[in-house]
Amino acid sequence: MILSRRNLLAGSGAVAALAFVPTASAAQLKAIGLQLYTIRDIFSKDPFGTLGQVAKIGYREVEFGGGGYEGMDHAQLRRTMDKLGLTAPSVHIGYDALLQRFDQSVTMAKTLGATTVVLPYMTDEHRNEAGWTAALPNFNRFATDLKKAGLGFAYHNHDFEFTTKPGGVSLYERLLKETDPALVKLELDLYWALHAGENLTTLIERLSQRIYAYHVKDMRPDRSMAAVGAGTVDFAALFQLKGSAGVRHFYVENDQAPAPYLPDITTSFRTLRALRF
């Protein structure tokens, strides 16, 4: 039994309309991941036990980010993941860390088993024409140096990249044009792009080959974040787009997940596990 994409159409009644119908040829996600920032409060207090809870829900991939993971025992985290059947294909590492502690960042990523480093966030001083102009060459340099170290590189968006438009050109547009598409890939946060007013279908089809991963989070009618399945986004329609064909990872994330957090990520996992497209 499967979750029909027709029952995930955008609208305030989408959740109530969820229904299960048989479909013979639909695809489903092979591996569902979790961005650990979602559960940062409990992960920071008990990282090893929390990874066990994540694996118990059914997740098979995690993406490290937040929760103080940078200061933890990365070898022990890796051993714990190995025992639990978890992998960490990518890790979030901040701009300043890549500038100032590049070698240590590479060692950390590799110890955790990652093959891609994702730049997750740019602080306010970079969110203007001068700051962005200074940062973009470093994006290319990070990607080049990471490739030499055997790692990929991707950039994770929020909404400001789309809505900040010095001279009428968005920061995201400049990112696309001024970074090497062969090296600087994209981790597309679907919620934040939608929150910025982007048409997700048009954006995905345009970005296509550059998309490394999705951050999957839902949006309620009031535009607040929600667990996947508790909002209005038609993920099935997005995942079946031609532009989604090369997406390698689908990471659940909810920046504003309510305590005790595990029920929220369980809802997201079960929705995506049932999804067919």
Side-chain angles (χ1 to χ4, degrees):
M1 302 298 284
I2 60 145
L3 193 60
S4 168
R5 68 176 292 269
R6 292 191 299 273
N7 295 313
L8 287 171
L9 295 175
S12 61
V15 177
L18 290 178
F20 291 89
V21 297
T23 300
S25 59
Q28 70 179 118
L29 300 181
K30 294 180 179 179
I32 300 169
L34 175 69
Q35 165 50 250
L36 292 171
Y37 183 80
T38 306
I39 55 172
R40 56 196 178 277
D41 288 348
I42 57 175
F43 179 75
S44 64
K45 296 171 184 174
D46 180 15
F48 307 113
T50 301
L51 287 174
Q53 293 288 341
V54 169
K56 186 177 180 180
I57 290 169
Y59 288 97
R60 290 296 171 263
E61 295 182 348
V62 294
E63 182 177 56
F64 284 90
Y69 92 91
E70 299 91 343
M72 295 179 182
D73 185 334
H74 304 123
Q76 184 59 41
L77 286 170
R78 176 68 179 276
R79 288 192 291 269
T80 300
M81 288 192 294
D82 289 345
K83 291 177 182 178
L84 294 169
L86 291 171
T87 62
S90 48
V91 296
H92 278 194
I93 300 178
Y95 183 76
D96 288 343
L98 289 172
L99 276 178
Q100 301 166 14
R101 299 181 298 280
F102 185 84
D103 291 343
Q104 297 95 313
S105 296
V106 167
T107 298
M108 177 177 68
K110 289 188 171 184
T111 301
L112 290 169
T115 56
T116 296
V117 168
V118 179
L119 178 57
Y121 187 78
M122 294 297 282
T123 50
D124 288 346
E125 64 267 30
H126 304 293
R127 299 182 182 191
N128 53 65
E129 185 171 13
W132 206 243
T133 298
L136 288 178
N138 286 324
F139 291 9
N140 283 315
R141 181 165 62 84
F142 295 155
T144 299
D145 291 346
L146 285 167
K147 183 179 180 181
K148 293 175 182 177
L151 296 168
F153 177 75
Y155 180 82
H156 168 271
N157 65 280
H158 287 78
D159 57 352
F160 77 87
E161 295 92 342
F162 299 99
T163 59
T164 305
K165 300 179 179 180
V169 180
S170 74
L171 300 183
Y172 205 75
E173 188 66 26
R174 288 195 57 193
L175 168 70
L176 297 177
K177 290 183 176 180
E178 297 178 36
T179 60
D180 186 342
L183 294 177
V184 179
K185 301 303 182 180
L186 305 169
E187 181 171 72
L188 184 60
D189 189 303
L190 297 170
Y191 170 89
W192 282 118
L194 184 61
H195 191 273
E198 293 294 309
N199 181 302
L200 291 181
T201 297
T202 302
L203 183 65
I204 289 168
E205 296 289 38
R206 181 190 176 201
L207 300 179
S208 188
Q209 299 300 316
R210 289 191 76 167
I211 305 175
Y212 160 75
Y214 284 145
H215 268 195
V216 186
K217 64 183 77 168
D218 218 334
M219 180 185 286
R220 297 186 183 92
D222 66 1
R223 289 164 44 93
S224 62
M225 293 181 191
V228 180
T232 63
V233 178
D234 185 354
F235 292 106
L238 298 177
F239 295 167
Q240 73 173 3
L241 292 172
K242 184 178 180 181
S244 292
V247 177
R248 295 169 58 188
H249 305 286
F250 298 77
Y251 294 118
V252 165
E253 186 184 37
N254 183 354
D255 309 21
Q256 302 167 5
Y261 310 107
L262 294 177
D264 189 88
I265 66 172
T266 299
T267 295
S268 293
F269 176 83
R270 290 176 176 173
T271 300
L272 290 178
R273 174 54 65 208
L275 192 68
R276 301 295 185 271
F277 51 93

